[in-house]
Amino acid sequence: EKHHKINCDIPSIHLGLSNQCILLDFGGAEINKVGKTRSLSFLAQAPVLNLNDSIQTTNDVVYPVEFEFDSFPFESGFDVSMIDPTSKYSSSEDFHPPVGIHVRGGECKHFFITWKPIKVGGVREVILLAAPGGMNQIVVVGNAGNNNCEFSLQEREIRSKTIVE
């Protein structure tokens, strides 16, 4: 029996199931600054081969599967890259969805969602993955702070009043 070790610390989308939702939380304004890039990862995993070496089916779909990013929030400062474990190079492969991505049965692809905040404040976006078994969601959330040390006009007025009193 062949077992495939999957890193359980990384959120995973199982491509044989539909209506899954994972959360990628970039955290608060203390770690996210406008113009500074941060990345979080997830795995897209195809169903595992069974003991008879035949391909499992789910919802009458035979795997390996092809899926694509049906919706992606580039306008909010997000991007995506994929690590190809079959490549002899360790660099990531950048692409811009929608691109058909193939995952063989029992294997997974490792993706990085990168966020470079474009404005101060909170963000909540939904990334849609379309696979033959159905649609899946990745919800990305985060809060970005100001990147410079200067205070806003309102913050300066409050600080100057505090110092005078």
Side-chain angles (χ1 to χ4, degrees):
E1 183 174 341
K2 214 178 199 183
H3 292 282
H4 296 274
K5 183 170 173 55
I6 301 295
N7 185 340
C8 295
D9 295 336
I10 300 175
S12 297
I13 291 282
H14 299 276
L15 298 172
L17 304 172
S18 63
N19 298 318
Q20 293 179 87
C21 183
I22 61 172
L23 175 69
L24 295 180
D25 187 349
F26 281 84
E30 64 281 354
I31 57 175
N32 298 302
K33 303 298 179 191
V34 172
K36 299 293 182 182
T37 302
R38 291 197 58 234
S39 295
L40 296 175
S41 65
F42 75 95
L43 299 173
Q45 181 179 3
V48 183
L49 299 177
N50 67 24
L51 293 175
N52 298 325
D53 289 329
S54 61
I55 296 176
Q56 292 181 349
T57 62
T58 304
N59 297 333
D60 299 320
V61 178
V62 178
Y63 293 91
V65 299
E66 177 177 313
F67 75 95
E68 64 182 36
F69 290 89
D70 192 55
S71 166
F72 201 88
F74 291 112
E75 68 282 353
S76 296
F78 289 95
D79 206 348
V80 62
S81 61
M82 177 178 66
I83 293 179
D84 183 1
T86 61
S87 172
K88 60 183 176 181
Y89 305 103
S90 61
S91 63
S92 66
E93 173 186 335
D94 289 321
F95 57 94
H96 293 282
V99 170
I101 301 161
H102 298 274
V103 183
R104 290 184 287 203
E107 294 184 353
C108 62
K109 298 275 184 178
H110 192 169
F111 293 89
F112 286 92
I113 303 296
T114 301
W115 183 36
K116 185 176 184 178
I118 55 176
K119 63 182 179 179
V120 173
V123 66
R124 182 188 183 280
E125 296 285 353
V126 177
I127 299 167
L128 297 177
L129 298 180
M135 199 67 83
N136 295 294
Q137 298 180 357
I138 300 169
V139 177
V140 290
V141 297
N143 197 5
N146 200 347
N147 190 24
N148 59 32
C149 294
E150 295 180 20
F151 297 107
S152 69
L153 181 59
Q154 183 181 11
E155 289 171 319
R156 279 185 278 189
E157 288 174 2
I158 292 169
R159 288 178 181 270
S160 65
K161 285 180 185 176
T162 305
I163 293 171
V164 172
E165 295 172 356

